[in-house]
Amino acid sequence: MSTLSQRSPGSTPPPIYAYLLAYGLCLVLFAAGVGLAFLLRDLLQMAMLFTPWDRYLVHVVNQASVVLLVVLLVALLVLSEGWLRGGVRRRQLLPRFARILGLLALILAAAQLLRLGLELLAGSLNLFSLLALAAGLLLYSGSRAVQPGARTSSTYQGALLVAAVLLAGSTLIALPIKSPLNLYDEGLALVNGLRLRNGDLPLRDYWTIYPPGQSYLLAALFGVAGESVLVARSYDTLVRMALALSVYGIAGPLLRSWRWALLPYLAAATLLAAATFYGYAIFPALLLSLAALAAGLRAIQNHPQRWLWIAGSLAGLTALFRLDLGLYTAVALGVLLTHHWLLPGQLRAWRSALLAAGTPALGLVLVFYGWLGSNAGFAPMLEQLLLFPATRFRAVRQLPYPALLPDWSTWYLGTEQFLSLLGDSLRFYLPLLLYALVALQLIWAALRRRDSTPSADTSLAAALTALGAGLFAQALSRYDEIHVLPASLVAVLLTAWLARQIPARRWQQPWLAVPALLLLLIPALLYFVYPYARLTQLVQSYPPQGCYSSLPRAGCVATLPGQDEVVQFLEKQAPGPIYSGLTRHDVVLLNDVSLYFLAGRPAATRYHELHPGVTTTRPVQEEMVAELTRHAPQWLLLVDLAPSREPNASRFSSGVTLLDDYLHSHYQRQQTVGLYQLWRAIP
């Protein structure tokens, strides 16, 4: 008699679709086994390269491995079919499937760990091996959670999984540390820190539109560890690691699961690793911002007053790095406290919390900027930090917003260009859609809750929505991928929170689960797959163990073509200030600020940053000519960059040629190195 017909008296036979599902899952396991077999086969061939065996023995081992893998695949198919079919009768289909899948995932993780070791020995790390290792660990963890009775015995394994994924994310962030130097934005961070170390005061001794918190930290690091690009990048890398960990720390209570929090953490780590925008002051500012929200969350959970003071102090420190982000953090913290205390009608508690958080935040801002304004001047501080960014900056730097749908005709120009345009559109409109969906979910939760106190995760989701809206607003002044990155990190958190709002029983309904999973593919591709692929290419081109510059101050970080030669030429000349400019100063987009740092020479003018709408004007050029006359630098380094083609005012000539006329009348060109022209003062 067939085993299918053997049933206990009175038992209800399993439905036919359960058996169809069992055979479908059996095919899934077989497909996973085939993929794993190819990976193991490739790993074996890679391992053979490290053995002293002759080619005949290697050939025998390879052939034997093929036979063994085929036998194992057949065994997997036969055993899984019987195992899953038996699970149908015992109502244990999914736990049994999870057990086999977990075993395959564990084999995958072990194989990829061995592969990573071989790749490190070969000096060629492939990030897809790291991704496969993380995927194996996550699959194994997920399979353990499905198995009955596994929770009591998986605490230790869960801790190991969390530690491994956190370490993997930090490793990703550290890998591109030797990527090419950014001559303008990273150069600004380096030179601003160098000028502070040499005794200059921001706003008074050099022009800048950013608060000096980052510059003071870099100046202190240069004093302790030496003046090197690698020193600054090591600090930036540690900040990014801490920022990714803060995303994990926020995601845990937001999702009510520290394991699910690993998914937004990995996406955040990948986005931060692929950005390679070193020296960006918004990274430490965002770290402080998320830390402030975490402290505020602790306050609404346990009600101790000290956490409100900590949250307010962190919000105040945020403003020392970025004024706009300090404001958005204060608003988000206010939304967190309002959603938890004021909306349920606890007015007294809300006022007390707001006062406890607002006092240290406002105090820090007033003390720091009061000191800065009294030394550098309140008028320059107001003009450079507030008025110029809010007015003229948009005219000369703003970029157009992407269309709701990309131009489909660009598909014929190339798949890469079309996907880039599609990515720009999604990065712009997806956060807006997420903010709207979160707001609707919060309203629906409030209507169902009525007068009861809201849960901590809903209050945190409301605060993150407010913070994300502010971060999105700051990206509008110059919308591109790096400026929308902070809003993307918040979008990752809100995506995970929305997915967690779907009850577990709903995920078992195909009509809801399938569309939801398809929609989740969009942020997965946008915030993980695409940046991970880009990061892989970057690390393959610039492995962290390599040295890509002969300049001591570069610290082996890859410099741009011609920079090493220019700096080495200057080292043979008499010491003194230099000027790094452009071949034309009536049209400006950016200049090579990093040369001041690489050469270790002071700037001959307070305008080491050439900014459109500033150094293209007559009053500023008159000031620069006066400084050049007074300091009399012996050398000019003029970069022949293509004129700006950005769709803003930077592409138009100001008609002011005062600085160019002075340079051409007092200096003459000596030689050209790539894009760099070296001009010497006429005796």
Side-chain angles (χ1 to χ4, degrees):
M1 180 181 294
S2 172
T3 57
L4 288 176
S5 63
Q6 295 176 357
R7 309 185 188 97
S8 59
S11 63
T12 304
I16 188 64
Y17 71 80
Y19 286 102
L20 294 176
L21 178 61
Y23 283 103
L25 294 178
C26 181
L27 291 177
V28 170
L29 290 175
F30 182 73
V34 171
L36 182 59
F38 278 110
L39 289 176
L40 292 174
R41 165 77 172 166
D42 186 63
L43 174 62
L44 180 63
Q45 290 180 337
M46 183 178 182
M48 292 296 100
L49 298 176
F50 292 86
T51 65
W53 299 344
D54 58 59
R55 61 191 182 107
Y56 298 105
L57 184 57
V58 169
H59 178 72
V60 171
V61 172
N62 285 334
Q63 294 299 317
S65 67
V66 173
V67 176
L68 178 61
L69 289 174
V70 170
V71 172
L72 291 176
L73 283 175
V74 173
L76 173 65
L77 181 61
V78 173
L79 294 176
S80 62
E81 186 272 338
W83 181 254
L84 294 179
R85 181 160 43 83
V88 172
R89 295 194 303 272
R90 296 176 178 271
R91 303 296 194 271
Q92 293 183 352
L93 176 60
L94 290 181
R96 290 193 173 194
F97 170 76
R99 183 165 297 181
I100 301 178
L101 185 64
L103 179 61
L104 295 177
L106 193 60
I107 296 173
L108 170 65
Q112 291 306 118
L113 188 62
L114 178 59
R115 184 184 183 90
L116 281 172
L118 295 177
E119 289 175 352
L120 290 176
L121 287 176
S124 178
L125 180 64
N126 188 339
L127 292 190
F128 285 106
S129 299
L130 191 62
L131 178 61
L133 173 60
L137 292 174
L138 289 174
L139 278 175
Y140 177 71
S141 175
S143 67
R144 290 284 298 173
V146 174
Q147 299 174 31
R151 292 187 177 182
T152 57
S153 62
S154 63
T155 303
Y156 181 69
Q157 295 176 352
L160 286 178
L161 169 72
V162 170
V165 175
L166 294 181
L167 179 61
S170 296
T171 303
L172 285 179
I173 295 174
L175 287 177
I177 196 170
K178 299 287 185 64
S179 56
L181 182 68
N182 185 312
L183 58 85
Y184 181 69
D185 295 282
E186 187 177 3
L188 286 178
L190 294 169
V191 174
N192 289 349
L194 184 62
R195 295 194 74 150
L196 284 179
R197 172 163 162 72
N198 293 335
D200 287 350
L201 188 68
L203 307 176
R204 184 192 68 187
D205 298 323
Y206 66 88
W207 185 90
T208 181
I209 60 174
Y210 299 113
Q214 176 92 312
S215 302
Y216 277 109
L217 273 179
L218 288 176
L221 285 172
F222 291 153
V224 173
E227 298 172 2
S228 167
V229 176
L230 192 59
V231 168
R233 287 199 171 188
S234 298
Y235 152 75
D236 186 280
T237 299
L238 291 176
V239 167
R240 295 186 197 212
M241 290 179 180
L243 178 54
L245 290 174
S246 69
V247 170
Y248 178 70
I250 287 289
L254 181 68
L255 306 180
R256 300 183 180 184
S257 169
W258 292 107
R259 288 193 179 184
W260 281 107
L262 292 174
L263 296 179
Y265 166 77
L266 283 175
T270 304
L271 284 169
L272 291 169
T276 64
F277 211 82
Y278 291 96
Y280 197 20
I282 208 166
F283 290 145
L286 188 56
L287 170 62
L288 292 169
S289 178
L290 293 181
L293 289 183
L297 179 67
R298 187 72 179 270
I300 68 175
Q301 289 175 327
N302 300 326
H303 302 281
Q305 199 80 352
R306 66 177 181 274
W307 285 107
L308 291 171
W309 280 85
I310 293 173
S313 300
L314 291 170
L317 289 174
T318 303
L320 309 189
F321 291 83
R322 287 289 297 252
L323 275 172
D324 50 356
L325 194 52
L327 174 62
Y328 305 145
T329 304
V331 171
L333 193 57
V335 169
L336 178 69
L337 303 180
T338 300
H339 190 271
H340 184 75
W341 275 304
L342 183 60
L343 291 185
Q346 304 178 38
L347 180 59
R348 171 178 285 186
W350 174 74
R351 287 188 302 190
S352 175
L354 212 59
L355 182 63
T359 300
L362 188 60
L364 278 171
V365 171
L366 291 178
V367 168
F368 179 79
Y369 286 102
W371 169 83
L372 184 61
S374 62
N375 287 274
F378 286 99
M381 183 175 69
L382 182 65
E383 166 64 25
Q384 295 176 48
L385 297 184
L386 291 177
L387 296 181
F388 180 82
T391 55
R392 285 180 288 165
F393 180 89
R394 283 180 170 268
V396 297
R397 287 294 195 192
Q398 190 174 28
L399 295 175
Y401 307 142
L404 181 60
L405 292 175
D407 185 1
W408 294 96
S409 64
T410 56
W411 179 270
Y412 299 102
L413 300 178
T415 305
E416 185 175 353
Q417 182 177 353
F418 174 78
L419 292 178
S420 176
L421 293 174
L422 180 60
D424 288 339
S425 297
L426 290 174
R427 271 185 290 270
F428 188 88
Y429 292 103
L430 183 59
L432 297 178
L433 176 61
L434 289 171
Y435 302 153
L437 292 176
V438 172
L440 291 175
Q441 176 65 25
L442 292 174
I443 294 173
W444 173 249
L447 293 175
R448 296 181 60 186
R449 186 180 62 249
R450 295 184 179 179
D451 297 331
S452 60
T453 301
S455 60
D457 67 297
T458 57
S459 297
L460 184 56
L464 286 171
T465 303
L467 178 63
L471 294 172
F472 187 83
Q474 69 88 25
L476 295 180
S477 60
R478 183 175 173 81
Y479 175 78
D480 54 17
E481 186 173 354
I482 184 60
H483 288 96
V484 82
L485 174 61
S488 299
L489 295 177
V490 177
V492 167
L493 287 168
L494 294 179
T495 300
W497 183 77
L498 286 172
R500 287 285 285 174
Q501 299 313 297
I502 302 177
R505 66 180 184 276
R506 297 293 186 184
W507 285 106
Q508 299 177 11
Q509 300 173 351
W511 63 269
L512 177 62
V514 173
L517 290 174
L518 290 177
L519 289 176
L520 287 174
L521 280 177
I522 297 175
L525 292 171
L526 186 65
Y527 296 136
F528 181 75
V529 175
Y530 174 70
Y532 196 93
R534 187 174 56 196
L535 176 64
T536 300
Q537 295 176 352
L538 188 65
V539 174
Q540 288 176 347
S541 301
Y542 300 95
Q545 68 271 17
C547 188
Y548 309 100
S549 174
S550 59
L551 301 179
R553 297 176 71 90
C556 285
V557 171
T559 53
L560 300 182
Q563 283 185 324
D564 281 21
E565 292 81 357
V566 169
V567 172
Q568 289 167 354
F569 176 84
L570 289 175
E571 289 174 349
K572 301 176 183 178
Q573 311 304 317
I578 59 174
Y579 173 72
S580 178
L582 301 167
T583 54
R584 287 182 60 182
H585 291 86
D586 59 321
V587 180
V588 169
L589 180 62
L590 52 84
N591 64 307
D592 188 351
V593 186
S594 63
L595 276 178
Y596 292 114
F597 184 85
L598 294 175
R601 300 285 190 105
T605 171
R606 67 187 295 262
Y607 295 95
H608 59 260
E609 174 187 2
L610 301 183
H611 201 288
V614 178
T615 56
T616 55
T617 63
R618 178 169 291 276
V620 172
Q621 289 201 9
E622 289 176 348
E623 182 182 353
M624 294 177 69
V625 167
E627 287 184 301
L628 291 171
T629 303
R630 183 170 64 254
H631 294 138
Q634 287 297 305
W635 291 96
L636 310 177
L637 309 172
L638 305 184
V639 186
D640 188 14
L641 296 177
S644 171
R645 295 184 178 179
E646 292 188 350
N648 51 46
S650 66
R651 70 181 188 273
F652 300 121
S653 171
S654 65
V656 179
T657 60
L658 182 64
L659 180 58
D660 289 329
D661 295 339
Y662 173 83
L663 297 180
H664 285 84
S665 61
H666 290 77
Y667 292 84
Q668 60 183 2
R669 180 163 44 171
Q670 294 293 310
Q671 66 181 82
T672 300
V673 180
L675 296 176
Y676 296 90
Q677 298 180 7
L678 286 81
W679 292 58
R680 188 171 187 174
I682 299 176

